């Protein structure tokens, strides 16, 4: 910048600042006030834009910009009469004058004036007429293309880009028409693709700037209007030709900018032009012979066989080749999903020509070797040629990375070649020898390392590395590593091939290695960036492998070789990390941790890898490996104390110390190592250093050190530590934890970690602590309990200590019991739910630890606590209710003397709860336990409590409720079972006598029936004389009752009573089934189902002796005409399969393959039975061999059978995905694709109108449910690209199917974005129909449903709009842009975005 311009610019800025901070000045005549709302005087402003003083021009253009902004705001509110009256519209003549003034100021001598003029131009385009917009576009474009305006070309280019970005959409076609052809002509006119021209000449530089400006504007123009403007669409081919011609430019920046423009153009051109573009790029790249000796060999062969082609090759410079490859990578990155298999099949071999593994493996390869005359890089210097080789290979691997991530299905046939090439170039370092093939080198590594470490300190880094400053081969290695990382990412759901498939280590070499093995072998990489990428790539591979093992896709070898052999024989993929991989990983990471010159990033990556390895079976390995890792961790923790390593403090930073502590904690808690090995290595090597870390300054290191100390007591127990070891460790832990526990001015995280560590210490090693130490910690816990910020952590600590005190006589809490309970009782009155929950759990735990009655306990405290507990018992929060009932039960059990208090404070609320229709699960179980304890402790008599419970039937809210009757029946049966044995027979006889099937009191009859069944479930009624016979008679008589509720209660009671007395009840039940039919048959099967379910819940249940009796009636009724009966049979078979799989599954397989007249009903029953068995947690190993047979039910013609089969598959995917993972692609997916698109509509004539019924709708819902669950449970089994057309069709289905599809899209956005981006354009039509749903005459809930439907579609649109690469889906982006600008959709969008 010239000195005068510099002074002018500074003066402008000072003037502007002075004007902003100056006091208000009187308004001058003709001067518009900056804050005034009055109409601006445009004539005065335009006159001042021509003033000789640049400050006046600056103020004038600034005021004009503000005036135009207000005018634009008023124009958008043209319906507002007040607005339009206060700001009259600008006439056309004034518009033209304003445009001319703004354009003239683009040539202003002041940079500040030019800047504001460009801003004003963006505002002006929103207000002026279309005629002025086109004039502005023509004028700026002409100025930008004018060779004589080189000094201001950047300003004109910015102005034109501003015009393209801000012009209204409706003018886009006109502007595109005026600009596109001129920009193309500008490129052609100023193009210079001759390699002999001098780029330093003035004319060439001017032409280059024009071409760059044209390409910049074209990129923005294509981005905004490329797919919507008809003018642009007509110019697609000329634009393509113009930009392609620039790939041969001698200037690198022009070639790079042209490639960027082509990448944007590729997103909007038609498939025909896209294919032509790809073919043209590939044809040009194909002319190059390649690199290295293999490339020279191909060039000589081509010269001998085809002289013309050789001539063409010589004309193709390496720079052109690099630009072409880079452009091809850009195109694949933006529209890779639009490429077909033929393109990929051509691209990959061409790219491999430049990444030939033979060149990387050639031991005689020399990067400084002189170029041949036939070399494709002839005419370039050797250094430039070497740099060009590096850039070409780097571009090719970048293309491979893009293809693997964006076109995983298309690239799959070439994946092995890409992996082989990437493995070869991952170690491509011709200027350094690693001795990869020297078997003896590894044996001498340790001795050599010691010598190298001594030598490292004698020489400076600058002198050692001066010869390597110019070695850029690491860029090739890094790009190859990133390609391997992409392969790992693409196979993350099933990475087994990367552990199993072997590749030649070198060409023509017998040595082979896997991808995993090659990565571990390259941990010795000398370049920091490459080394970190390699370690992170392997860490990612290991993490995905562990995840795949958890999902059942593969099996990681366990500690039992017999299990591994059995799994391998069954066809499962077994990956063994223990044999060689684990030791190699540990050895390689130890080298990184021990290297003095190693960077912090390498050490951090090595620690992350070891942490991931801890999650695999076998963990880090043997005791020697564990000790070695601990010694390296010790070095990191002691870095600040080691004078020799103090100068490497940048490496051993606090963050590295934190990561080392995290590694130790994971090793202690992962349960993958031998606890004795961990203990024997930890105590002598690391314990003292970890305790020192508690005294560090950084709160994160302190907290992590406390977390490590928290794991040590449990480790001592698992590692069978001696008493001396426990005593020594307990003392060390106490000395480290107690100071942090007693301090007050600490970070919250440190306080909570100190409490957790103290809980672990006291609860496990209390026998090794002195009484003073224990009392000190307990007193500190009380202090923390009284503090608002630490009370929840203190409550959890007390709970853990209390649980330990239950089972240990050495740990007494008498010193703090009264005060602790008092504080906890106060917390029960707080509003915080989480605080109440923690306090209730702690009370429940502590009261069990109460000593005998001789302990001086404040009895008045129980009165207060129980009163608060009674107030919490309510069905408004069943979880707190459950905890309160459990705490009351514990108090009563620990102090029977509190029976009267429990009766007065807790029992009334409990009785109210017993008649709640919401009572279930844990709250019901806690209520039953409390009532039993009240009877057992004598807090209330049995007869009194029974009357109180029976009296709850009179409540208005409970009358007629099956749930209330069932709960009360369980309560009455529970207190009867808790009463003395002498009273039980009297009770059951009186209950039986009260059952009158024909009685008008239906509720009382139901209650007594269920009470008898629940009582008989726990007591063998056959031992009571005449009771079993009378109950059978009553149950069977109840089946003939006219009341359905009584029938149902009798069926349940019969099944439950059969559990306690199988001999008298079960044969009678099965005998009654033989001659039954209709409704009675359904009730009997209900009884049988209840019997099997209840029997499964009995501990030590064995029903094998009864299976031969149960199977015949079940098999006989599999084809029953009544669907309800078949459903009961299916539930019985499913429950039996869980109990006796070896007996039931072969029967189900036989039934599934029978071809009888009743096969439809039988197959329906079998499908349901398998579904119930899977839901009942049948052993997957037992069921797996039969699943292929059951999956064949999907091919049945009957829709009901198909639907049941789909639900069976859904249950398998949800509960046990390993059952279907192996057969998903072959047997299940083809049927799912078909059923998800099946449509079977039929019309029913209802007289005045016709009703359309879609019989296949349940099938489509079930099929999509299977897909949705597979995305969560077993994504590797799906073929995502093949599912995209199915999903696109589902998005246009009926409302329920659409909502399911929307949820699937949301899931895929996070897990499978690339296939979703590829199919985005196919979703547009369906989504547009959804978000533009008309409300019609709908009101109320129907209208709300329509609104929710619209918002669901908008959520999908917004979620997909955030995906990487979605900009390439132009049709979808245009749809999203239209919706965002649509006023009717604005409130819906606002509501969705605020969710």
């Amino acid at each position: 910048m010239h000195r005068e311009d510099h002074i002018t610019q500074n003066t402008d800025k000072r003037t502007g600042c002075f004007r902003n901070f100056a006091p208000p000045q009187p308004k001058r005549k003709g001067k518009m006030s900056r804050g005034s709302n009055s109409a601006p005087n445009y004539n005065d402003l335009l006159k001042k834009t021509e003033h000789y003083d640049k400050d006046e021009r600056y103020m004038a253009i600034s005021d004009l910009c503000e005036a135009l902004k207000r005018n634009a705001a008023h124009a958008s509110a043209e319906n507002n009469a007040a607005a339009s009256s206060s700001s009259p519209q600008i006439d056309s003549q004034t518009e033209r004058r304003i445009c001319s003034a703004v354009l003239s100021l683009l040539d202003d001598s002041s940079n500040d004036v030019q800047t504001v003029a460009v801003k004003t131009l963006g505002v002006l385009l929103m207000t002026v007429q279309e005629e002025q917009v086109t004039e502005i576009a023509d004028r700026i474009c002409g100025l930008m293309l004018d060779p004589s305006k080189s000094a201001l070309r950047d300003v004109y280019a910015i102005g034109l880009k501003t015009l393209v970005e801000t012009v209204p959409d409706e003018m886009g076609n006109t502007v595109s028409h005026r600009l596109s052809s001129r920009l193309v002509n500008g490129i052609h006119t100023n193009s210079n693709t001759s390699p002999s021209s001098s780029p330093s000449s003035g004319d060439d530089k001017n032409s280059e700037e024009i071409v760059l400006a044209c390409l910049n504007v074209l990129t923005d123009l294509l981005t905004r209007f490329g797919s919507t403007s008809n003018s642009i669409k007509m110019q697609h081919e000329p634009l393509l030709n113009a930009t392609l011609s620039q790939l041969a430019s001698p200037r690198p920046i022009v070639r790079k900018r042209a490639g960027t423009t082509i990448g944007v153009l590729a997103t909007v051109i038609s498939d025909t032009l896209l294919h032509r573009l790809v073919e043209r790029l590939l044809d040009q790249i194909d002319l190059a012979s390649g690199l290295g000796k293999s490339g020279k060999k191909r060039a000589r062969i081509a010269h001998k066989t085809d002289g013309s082609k050789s001539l063409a090759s010589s004309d193709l410079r390496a720079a052109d080749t690099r630009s072409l490859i880079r452009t091809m990578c850009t195109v694949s990155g933006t529209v890779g999903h639009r490429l077909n298999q033929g393109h990929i099949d051509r691209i990959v071999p061409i790219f491999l020509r430049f990444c030939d593994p033979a060149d990387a493996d050639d031991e005689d390869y020399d990067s400084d070797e002189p170029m041949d005359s036939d070399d494709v890089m002839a005419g370039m210097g050797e250094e430039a040629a070497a740099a060009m080789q590096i850039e070409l290979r780097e571009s090719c691997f970048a293309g491979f990375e893009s293809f693997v991530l964006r076109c995983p299905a298309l690239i799959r046939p070439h994946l092995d070649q890409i992996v082989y090439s990437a493995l070869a170039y991952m170690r491509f370092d011709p200027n350094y020898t690693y001795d990869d093939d020297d078997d003896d080198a590894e044996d001498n590594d340790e001795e050599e390392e010691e010598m190298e470490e001594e030598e490292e300190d004698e020489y400076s880094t600058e002198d050692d590395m001066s010869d390597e400053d110019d070695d850029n081969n690491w860029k090739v290695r890094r790009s190859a590593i990133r390609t391997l990382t992409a392969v790992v990412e693409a196979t993350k759901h099933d990475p087994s091939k990367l552990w199993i498939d072997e590749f030649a280590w070198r060409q023509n070499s017998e040595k082979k290695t896997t991808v995993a093995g090659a990565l571990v072998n390259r941990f010795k990489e000398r370049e920091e960036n490459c080394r970190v990428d390699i370690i992170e790539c392997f860490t990612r591979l290991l993490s995905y492998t562990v995840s795949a093992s958890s999902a059942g896709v593969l099996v990681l070898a366990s500690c039992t070789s017999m299990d591994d052999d059995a799994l391998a024989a069954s066809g499962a993929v077994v990956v063994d990390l223990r044999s060689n991989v684990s030791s190699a990983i540990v050895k390689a990471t130890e080298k990184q941790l021990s290297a003095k010159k190693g960077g912090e990033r390498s050490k951090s990556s090595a620690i992350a890898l070891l942490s991931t390895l801890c999650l695999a079976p076998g963990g880090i390995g043997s005791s020697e490996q564990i000790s070695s890792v601990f010694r390296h961790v010790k070095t990191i923790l002691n870095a600040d104390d080691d004078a020799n390593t103090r100068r490497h403090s940048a490496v051993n930073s606090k963050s590295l110390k934190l990561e080392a502590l995290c590694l130790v904690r994971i090793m202690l808690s992962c349960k993958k190592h031998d606890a004795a090995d961990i203990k024997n290595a930890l105590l002598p090597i690391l314990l003292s250093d970890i305790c020192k870390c508690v005294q560090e300054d950084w709160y994160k290191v302190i907290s992590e050190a406390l977390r490590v100390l928290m794991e040590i007591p449990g480790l001592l127990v698992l590692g069978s530590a001696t008493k001396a070891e426990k005593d020594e460790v307990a003392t060390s832990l106490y000395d480290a934890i107690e100071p942090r526990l007693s301090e007050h001015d600490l970070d919250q995280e440190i306080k909570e970690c100190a409490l957790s560590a103290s809980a672990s210490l006291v609860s496990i090693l209390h026998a090794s602590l002195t009484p003073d130490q224990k009392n000190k910690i307990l007193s500190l816990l009380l202090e923390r309990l009284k503090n608002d910020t630490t009370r929840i952590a203190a409550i959890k600590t007390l709970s853990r200590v209390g649980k330990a005190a239950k089972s240990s006589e050495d740990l007494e809490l008498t010193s703090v019991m009264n005060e602790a309970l008092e504080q906890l009782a106060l917390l029960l009155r707080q509003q915080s739910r989480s605080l109440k929950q923690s306090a209730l759990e702690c009370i429940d735990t502590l009261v069990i630890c109460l000593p005998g009655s001789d302990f001086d306990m404040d009895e008045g405290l129980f009165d207060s606590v129980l009163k608060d507990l009674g107030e919490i018992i309510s069905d408004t929060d069943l979880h707190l209710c459950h905890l309160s009932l459990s705490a009351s039960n514990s108090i009563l059990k620990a102090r029977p003397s509190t029976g009267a208090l429990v009766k007065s404070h807790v029992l009334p609320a409990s009785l109210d709860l017993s008649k709640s229709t919401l009572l279930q699960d844990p709250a019901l179980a806690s209520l039953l336990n409390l009532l039993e304890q009240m009877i057992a402790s004598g807090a209330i008599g049995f007869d009194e409590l029974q009357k109180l419970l029976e009296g709850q039937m009179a409540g208005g809210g409970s009358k007629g409720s099956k749930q209330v009757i069932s709960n009360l029946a369980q309560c009455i049966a529970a207190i009867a079972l808790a009463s003395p044995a002498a009273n039980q027979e009297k009770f059951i006889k009186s209950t039986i006598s009260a059952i009158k099937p024909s009685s008008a009191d239906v509720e009382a009859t139901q209650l007594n029936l269920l009470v008898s069944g629940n009582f008989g479930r726990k007591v063998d009624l056959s031992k009571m004389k005449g009771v079993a016979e009378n109950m059978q008679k009553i149950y069977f008589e109840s089946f003939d009752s006219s009341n359905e509720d009584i029938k149902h209660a009798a069926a349940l009671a019969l099944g439950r009573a059969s559990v306690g007395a199988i001999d008298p009840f079960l044969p009678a039940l099965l005998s009654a089934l033989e001659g039954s039919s209709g409704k009675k048959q359904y009730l009997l099967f209900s009884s049988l189902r209840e019997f099997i379910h209840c029997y499964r819940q009995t501990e030590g249940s064995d029903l094998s002796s009864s299976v031969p009796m149960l199977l015949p009636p079940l098999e006989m009724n599999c084809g029953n005409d009544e669907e309800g009966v078949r459903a009961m049979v299916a539930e019985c078979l499913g429950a039996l399969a869980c109990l006796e799989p070896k007996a039931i599954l072969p029967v189900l397989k036989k039934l599934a393959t029978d071809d009888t007249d009743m096969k439809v009903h039988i197959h329906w029953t079998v499908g349901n039975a398998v579904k119930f068995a899977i839901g009942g947690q049948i052993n997957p190993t037992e069921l797996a061999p039969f699943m292929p047979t059951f999956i064949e039910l999907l091919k049945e013609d009957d829709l009901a059978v198909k639907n049941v089969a789909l639900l069976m598959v859904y249950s398998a995917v949800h509960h046990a995905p390993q059952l279907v993972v192996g057969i998903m692609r072959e047997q299940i997916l083809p049927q799912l694709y078909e059923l998800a698109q099946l449509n079977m509509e039929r019309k029913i004539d209802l007289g005045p109108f016709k009703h359309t019924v879609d019989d296949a709708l349940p099938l489509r819902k079930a099929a999509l449910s299977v897909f949705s669950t597979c995305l969560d449970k077993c994504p590797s089994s799906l073929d995502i690209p093949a599912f995209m057309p199915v999903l696109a069709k589902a998005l246009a289905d009926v409302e329920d199917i659409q909502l399911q599809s929307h949820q699937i899209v949301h899931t895929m956005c996070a897990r499978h974005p690339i296939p979703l981006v590829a199919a985005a354009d196919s979703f547009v039509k369906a989504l547009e129909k959804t978000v533009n749903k008309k409300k019609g005459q709908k009101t109320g809930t129907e209208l709300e449903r329509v609104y929710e439907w619209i918002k669901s579609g908008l959520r999908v649109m917004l979620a997909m709009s955030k995906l990487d690469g979605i900009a390439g889906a132009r049709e979808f982006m245009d749809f999203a842009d239209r919706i965002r600008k649509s006023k009717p959709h604005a409130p819906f969008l606002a509501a969705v975005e605020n969710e």
Side-chain angles (χ1 to χ4, degrees), residues 812-841:
E812 293 185 358
L813 305 180
T814 54
S815 60
V816 296
M817 184 64 72
N818 278 328
E819 194 171 356
L821 287 178
E822 183 179 355
Q823 290 296 324
L824 292 170
L826 294 175
L827 296 179
L828 293 180
R829 302 167 192 171
Q830 299 287 333
Q831 294 297 321
S832 173
R833 184 181 184 278
S834 59
L835 192 59
K836 282 184 180 180
Q837 179 178 333
S838 300
L840 287 169
E841 292 172 347

Side-chain angles (χ1 to χ4, degrees), residues 10-76:
N10 289 339
T11 304
D12 291 342
K13 292 180 179 178
R14 287 194 300 270
T15 303
C17 293
F18 178 78
R19 185 175 70 254
N20 289 337
F21 290 98
Q25 299 293 328
K27 189 186 303 183
R28 293 179 294 173
K29 183 177 180 180
K31 172 73 176 177
M32 185 188 72
S33 174
R34 300 288 296 270
S36 174
N37 290 326
S38 62
N41 190 334
Y42 290 109
N43 291 329
D44 289 347
L45 292 177
L46 292 174
K47 185 179 297 183
K48 287 189 177 294
T49 58
E50 301 174 358
H51 201 276
Y52 68 90
D53 187 353
K54 58 181 176 298
D55 293 340
E56 290 291 338
R57 296 197 303 275
Y58 179 87
M59 295 170 63
I61 189 62
S62 298
D63 291 341
L64 182 61
C65 183
E66 294 297 324
L68 291 173
K69 284 182 181 179
R70 287 196 295 272
N71 185 74
H74 288 309
S76 64

